Amino acid sequence: MRRLALSASLAASLAVAAVLPRLLAAPGAAAITNCDVGTFSIDNEELEFLRLINDYRVANGRGPLTISANLSRAAEWMARDMGEHDYFGHIDSLGRDPWTRIVDCGYPVAGGENLAAGTYRSTAASAFELFRSSPSHDENMLLDRYVQIGIARVYVPNSKYGWYWATTFGTLDDGSESVVSAAISPPSGTDTMARQPAERFSLETGANFVTWTGGEISPDRLFGEETPGYVLYRWDRLRGMWLRYGPGLPAFLQSLDRLRPGDGVWVVPANAD
């Protein structure tokens, strides 16, 4: 069964469109084709969108979503393609529908997609509220069988809408969450590793999703006496909540007390808006 919902442009500076997943898609190996986006790291607003949609899903009895690198690649490609080729809709400049594009970008099965665009749609809150106010987009965000998401916002100068948002959804864990950005590897030697400032980790501007590859350690011991200017966040699936560590935060806000091998952690600048 194929369900597709497309809306016309709402105004000269606003557009929105949604597509639900293809229901009869079967899992399979997916090679990445026609999906070159370079880097697709998650910025602060994209991270905020993840928080907003997960809070919304949990409040409505749905499970939270994790980031998929493959779904984020598909979202980034689509958002940029719309701006660079001056169109808005689910069929891309190569003639692909969302289900084909998501698989082309490495996700093993077809999924869903929400799109938004507009001159004043730069923030996560504006995109989220736009989706929530539309029945088809709201249905997509709350679909119970989704477990992963890809998020992208792209600004294309001189394009019709300026800002373009794409969120892609998937129904299985494709195992690509840990490669959204490069994993943190500790310096050799536990004692040395425990006192290295955050700058040694070569973090990029904005929020970084990283995988801790060292031994079990507490965040305060990791950073030592340094004040790195970052806050660490990890999603606890069992408790359904974000855990947090940040130097100088009050004790009641310090809920992330341990990093273990393989933990995925968001590293966010402490002064982020």
Side-chain angles (χ1 to χ4, degrees), residues 6 73 132 144:
L6 287 172
R73 182 185 294 108
R132 188 164 63 172
D144 188 57

Side-chain angles (χ1 to χ4, degrees), residues 38-57:
T39 180
F40 48 95
S41 59
I42 304 297
D43 68 20
N44 291 339
E45 289 299 324
E46 292 161 343
L47 177 60
E48 173 64 7
F49 188 94
L50 178 66
R51 185 191 69 79
L52 288 170
I53 191 172
N54 277 339
D55 285 353
Y56 186 48
R57 285 175 63 86

Side-chain angles (χ1 to χ4, degrees), residues 15 18 38 41 45-46 53 80 139 178 185 190 210 213 231 254:
S41 59
E45 289 299 324
E46 292 161 343
I53 191 172
R80 192 166 301 281
E139 179 184 0
S178 63
S185 296
T190 302
V210 298
T213 61
V231 179
Q254 304 280 22

Side-chain angles (χ1 to χ4, degrees), residues 78-243:
M78 184 57 178
R80 192 166 301 281
D81 190 62
M82 287 190 295
E84 292 178 351
H85 291 88
D86 205 23
Y87 71 95
F88 184 83
H90 290 289
I91 305 303
D92 65 31
S93 65
L94 300 180
R96 298 177 298 181
D97 60 33
W99 307 292
T100 301
R101 182 171 55 255
I102 286 171
V103 173
D104 280 353
C105 289
Y107 199 71
V109 298
E113 180 177 82
N114 278 352
L115 303 176
T119 306
Y120 303 107
R121 297 290 163 180
S122 64
T123 66
S126 65
F128 177 77
E129 290 302 325
L130 183 62
F131 289 147
R132 188 164 63 172
S133 65
S134 165
S136 59
H137 298 81
D138 192 57
E139 179 184 0
N140 234 0
M141 292 199 298
L142 291 177
L143 206 63
D144 188 57
R145 63 180 176 273
Y146 286 149
V147 298
Q148 286 198 302
I149 188 173
I151 306 170
R153 69 165 191 150
V154 172
Y155 180 73
V156 180
N158 302 317
S159 61
K160 181 177 182 180
Y161 292 109
W163 285 100
Y164 295 82
W165 281 86
T167 57
T168 51
F169 302 92
T171 57
L172 55 80
D173 188 336
D174 69 349
S176 71
E177 178 183 6
S178 63
V179 295
V180 173
S181 63
I184 290 179
S185 296
S188 59
T190 302
D191 293 338
T192 303
M193 175 270 292
R195 294 302 178 189
Q196 297 300 322
E199 285 74 10
R200 287 294 301 274
F201 298 140
S202 301
L203 299 174
E204 296 181 3
T205 301
N208 292 253
F209 185 86
V210 298
T211 300
W212 175 245
T213 61
E216 184 171 325
I217 191 172
S218 62
D220 58 345
R221 182 167 176 263
L222 173 65
F223 290 114
E225 300 302 321
E226 300 286 342
T227 304
Y230 296 96
V231 179
L232 309 185
Y233 295 90
R234 182 174 68 80
W235 177 255
D236 189 318
R237 296 188 185 185
L238 293 179
R239 288 185 280 179
M241 61 182 292
W242 287 99
L243 305 180

